[in-house]
Amino acid sequence: MNRFLSVLIIFSLFLLTARLDAPAQVRVTKSASEVSFLDLSGFKSGADNASLSFRRTLESDLTRSGWFNLSGGGRAEFAVMGNVEPDGARLTVRCEAYNTMTRERCFSKTYQDDNQGARALAHRVADDLVLAMTGRPGMAAARIAMVSNRTGKKELYICDADGANLRQLTRDNAISLSPRWSPDGKKIVYTSYYRTQFPDVFLIELATGARQCLADFPGLNSSAAFSPGGRELALILSKDGNPDLFIMSINGDRLTRLTYSKRAAEASPSWSPDGQQIVFVSDSSGTPQLYIIGREGGEPRRIAVGGAQNVDPDWGANGYIVYSSLLGGQFQLYVLNPATGESRQITGHDANYEDPSWAPDGRHIFCVRRQNYNSRIFIVDTLSASCISLLQESVKGDCFAPDCSGKYINHAF
Amino acid sequence: MTKNRWFAVVALLLVCALCMTSCRARKGGRRAGDNIGGEVGSGEAGSLATRPEGDLNILTSVKYDAVMFDYDSAQIRESERTKLEAVADYLKKNADVGVIIEGNCDERGSAEYNLALGERRALAARAYLIGLGIDGAKMQTKSYGEERPVNPGHDESAWSVNRRDEFVFFK
């Protein structure tokens, strides 16, 4: 009971601070542990496959957003009206949303399927509806890149934020690691041994499948992460004799070394949303801990948090850093406000939670949940504490290193 | 008076702690290879040599013992030095042979951090070999992080054999 209470308090606190920097147009002012009842009965859809697929996906996306309850049982606060019409294989969707309290229409839009299919269209509509009704971005249209060993080798895979459309991206029969999306969601950088048998950094263009080697310096090339503007990478190179943090322009014409730690290893850089700072892991204190450094270099600042190890940071567009902390022999996720140094645990003690990545809604986190040496990707809701598996149980193999696309999608650069 | 005594005790403890840490630091700093052959004072054995071009002729029959490491450490243990001396002897007798030092970690902890830690383990052996007179241009470092365990188990007996540097020789 005490634990339940403290969890409740932690989440209310989190919510409180999360609200401080919330967008001005927030319409939902309830606490997030409550969800709004949403009435979809005025939204008409046919029995054809495309319409059914659209509706199923829309309902699942709205539920997954964490803000809505579609099952009825209470007086609806929002109502979505409209219809979906099949036009050959393509869909036309008309959609309006009302606040039933104020009787105010908060959303109206007509969509044409742009040949991306019913599911992709549903993701777009869901994100627009979430934004209109809550003032917050959704995550339905995001995609997840990950590593899986289901073929016996570690290859890259991508899928939608709801776990559908799982697709194998590499077939190198080598080791592929650490995928990270470009800000526009069209490219992925990752580390692979496939060409030289050494760890090199590659770029995959998703539309064409074209692949380009970005870094094959002597020694280690790893942990590459796109800057929010998309023109630079933060990455780890050991070419100067030690694994250190560098910034490299995508076209390769500029390379700047940021850290000069002696006899220490750096890893896992992640950019601040304004692109001016980088959080990374260094063991210069003897154990892997979090540090922040300016993009021009200088003395790294240690982030003083508890835990024997603090690793795999991801700096969200909401300003918060999520990371994995080793405490009492178990990895748990924490969310840190770098401005105040406060951090809060967001996962329970039932398993190890590692390698977190913020969803574009700034609310959910994709991570690895490891139990009995089975590693699966889970979606953690930082507000409600719900934790669900991304892929269905029937998908075999272990999954690692999830990275969610669209982190900066609501930020203009 | 009692306050003063407490102050003295605390000061004494502080001095002791300081001595211990500086001793430890100095011990680490005197690791072979750091200042011999490498850039003096940089703590690093210089920039890495460019990778050899083309397909390598791997000498699969040449085998030397793996160098083992403590948990979360890239320090060459005293017990492992004879293994590195044997590798150095072989390289000295075979001037046309180069070596890829492959650093590995146990499965615990962050995979990305382990990739960097594995590289540090390979670099530690490289620095030691430079200290023994081996030309840095003949050596390549490669980290496999936690990706290539020799023992797939999940206990210390597996982990201890997975924390290692392996030596692959090539012409």
Side-chain angles (χ1 to χ4, degrees), chain A residues 10-11 14 309-314 321-327 330-336 343-358 364-369 378-382 386-387 402:
Chain A
I10 286 166
F11 282 122
F14 180 87
Q309 299 186 5
N310 293 290
V311 293
D312 292 326
D314 186 40
I321 295 169
V322 62
Y323 62 96
S324 188
S325 183
L326 179 64
L327 260 172
Q330 213 178 36
F331 281 98
Q332 296 295 330
L333 299 189
Y334 283 71
V335 170
L336 168 92
S343 73
R344 295 178 195 90
Q345 187 174 345
I346 58 163
T347 47
H349 289 282
D350 56 332
N352 283 279
Y353 292 87
E354 295 169 271
D355 223 339
S357 168
W358 280 107
H364 290 86
I365 287 163
F366 291 82
C367 65
V368 173
R369 182 175 185 271
F378 271 67
I379 314 170
V380 177
D381 184 346
T382 55
S386 96
C387 185

Side-chain angles (χ1 to χ4, degrees), chain B residues 90-165:
Chain B
Y90 173 76
L91 287 171
K92 280 176 186 167
K93 284 178 192 141
N94 297 273
D96 56 340
V97 173
V99 65
I100 302 169
I101 309 164
E102 298 179 347
N104 292 270
C105 303
D106 68 37
E107 64 181 353
R108 290 175 291 171
S110 154
E112 282 195 19
Y113 168 67
N114 280 337
L115 214 49
L117 177 62
E119 181 70 5
R120 288 258 305 122
R121 287 178 174 160
L123 288 164
R126 178 181 181 270
Y128 198 95
L129 289 170
I130 288 175
L132 294 173
I134 305 302
D135 182 0
K138 290 175 67 170
M139 294 186 269
Q140 296 288 318
T141 54
K142 181 197 287 195
S143 175
Y144 280 112
E146 61 183 73
E147 308 300 331
R148 270 203 168 180
V150 282
N151 182 334
H154 303 300
D155 54 23
E156 181 52 37
S157 67
W159 295 330
S160 63
V161 296
N162 291 337
R163 298 188 296 261
R164 71 201 191 279
D165 277 344

Side-chain angles (χ1 to χ4, degrees), chain B residues 11-127:
Chain B
L12 200 73
L13 280 172
L14 266 173
V15 167
C16 285
L18 219 77
C19 283
M20 278 161 76
T21 50
S22 67
C23 288
R24 237 176 91 200
R26 202 171 310 140
K27 208 168 155 195
R30 227 187 262 155
R31 239 170 35 216
D34 274 342
N35 298 329
I36 319 162
E39 295 168 10
V40 175
S42 73
E44 296 171 3
S47 295
L48 303 185
T50 49
R51 292 180 185 163
E53 300 266 327
D55 285 340
L56 298 181
N57 175 18
I58 303 291
L59 309 176
T60 46
S61 59
V62 183
K63 290 195 171 73
Y64 280 81
D65 287 345
V67 167
M68 314 310 291
F69 290 87
D70 289 337
Y71 173 61
D72 206 5
S73 164
Q75 295 264 356
I76 304 288
R77 299 196 298 231
E78 243 176 275
S79 63
E80 307 303 297
R81 289 181 183 174
T82 50
K83 295 177 180 174
L84 285 162
E85 282 156 15
V87 169
D89 282 347
Y90 173 76
L91 287 171
K92 280 176 186 167
K93 284 178 192 141
N94 297 273
D96 56 340
V97 173
V99 65
I100 302 169
I101 309 164
E102 298 179 347
N104 292 270
C105 303
D106 68 37
E107 64 181 353
R108 290 175 291 171
S110 154
E112 282 195 19
Y113 168 67
N114 280 337
L115 214 49
L117 177 62
E119 181 70 5
R120 288 258 305 122
R121 287 178 174 160
L123 288 164
R126 178 181 181 270

Side-chain angles (χ1 to χ4, degrees), chain A residues 16-31:
Chain A
L16 214 68
T17 48
R19 294 226 162 262
L20 295 179
D21 58 5
Q25 72 272 32
V26 171
R27 289 197 174 87
V28 173
T29 50
K30 305 145 65 76
S31 87

Side-chain angles (χ1 to χ4, degrees), chain A residues 90-101:
Chain A
R90 301 178 68 181
L91 296 177
T92 301
V93 173
R94 193 178 55 79
C95 190
E96 292 181 341
Y98 293 87
N99 183 327
T100 55
M101 309 294 183

Side-chain angles (χ1 to χ4, degrees), chain A residues 236-257:
Chain A
I236 305 300
L237 303 175
S238 69
K239 68 180 189 65
D240 291 352
N242 198 51
D244 273 295
L245 173 62
F246 287 74
I247 294 178
M248 188 177 80
S249 56
I250 296 289
N251 57 20
D253 61 6
R254 253 178 321 108
L255 184 63
T256 314
R257 181 171 168 185

Side-chain angles (χ1 to χ4, degrees), chain A residues 194-406:
Chain A
Y194 94 100
R195 208 188 50 158
T196 62
Q197 322 301 316
F198 284 89
D200 297 330
V201 171
F202 291 90
L203 179 77
I204 298 184
E205 198 94 39
L206 285 180
T208 61
R211 188 156 42 174
Q212 183 191 347
C213 180
L214 296 183
D216 58 352
F217 297 102
L220 179 66
N221 304 260
S222 70
S223 286
F226 275 98
S227 64
R231 283 187 284 275
E232 292 171 313
L233 293 177
L235 77 173
I236 305 300
L237 303 175
S238 69
K239 68 180 189 65
D240 291 352
N242 198 51
D244 273 295
L245 173 62
F246 287 74
I247 294 178
M248 188 177 80
S249 56
I250 296 289
N251 57 20
D253 61 6
R254 253 178 321 108
L255 184 63
T256 314
R257 181 171 168 185
L258 262 57
T259 61
Y260 291 83
S261 62
K262 287 169 186 151
R263 298 185 205 93
E266 271 76 53
S268 304
S270 177
W271 298 75
S272 65
D274 65 3
Q276 294 305 305
Q277 293 176 295
I278 292 170
V279 61
F280 64 100
V281 170
S282 172
D283 65 2
S284 53
S285 71
T287 57
Q289 300 291 343
L290 303 181
Y291 293 79
I292 290 177
I293 194 168
R295 59 157 294 129
E296 311 295 342
E299 192 62 34
R301 172 167 68 90
R302 164 120 183 235
I303 302 176
V305 286
Q309 299 186 5
N310 293 290
V311 293
D312 292 326
D314 186 40
W315 203 327
N318 57 8
Y320 291 87
I321 295 169
V322 62
Y323 62 96
S324 188
S325 183
L326 179 64
L327 260 172
Q330 213 178 36
F331 281 98
Q332 296 295 330
L333 299 189
Y334 283 71
V335 170
L336 168 92
N337 180 346
T340 63
E342 289 169 90
S343 73
R344 295 178 195 90
Q345 187 174 345
I346 58 163
T347 47
H349 289 282
D350 56 332
N352 283 279
Y353 292 87
E354 295 169 271
D355 223 339
S357 168
W358 280 107
D361 65 0
R363 166 172 176 163
H364 290 86
I365 287 163
F366 291 82
C367 65
V368 173
R369 182 175 185 271
R370 180 163 54 82
Q371 199 172 29
N372 304 324
Y373 293 97
N374 288 317
S375 295
R376 302 186 67 85
I377 311 293
F378 271 67
I379 314 170
V380 177
D381 184 346
T382 55
L383 297 189
S384 76
S386 96
C387 185
I388 56 169
S389 178
L390 172 67
L391 300 168
Q392 294 183 345
E393 289 294 318
S394 56
V395 176
K396 66 180 170 84
D398 290 303
C399 293
F400 313 93
D403 191 59
C404 186
S405 74

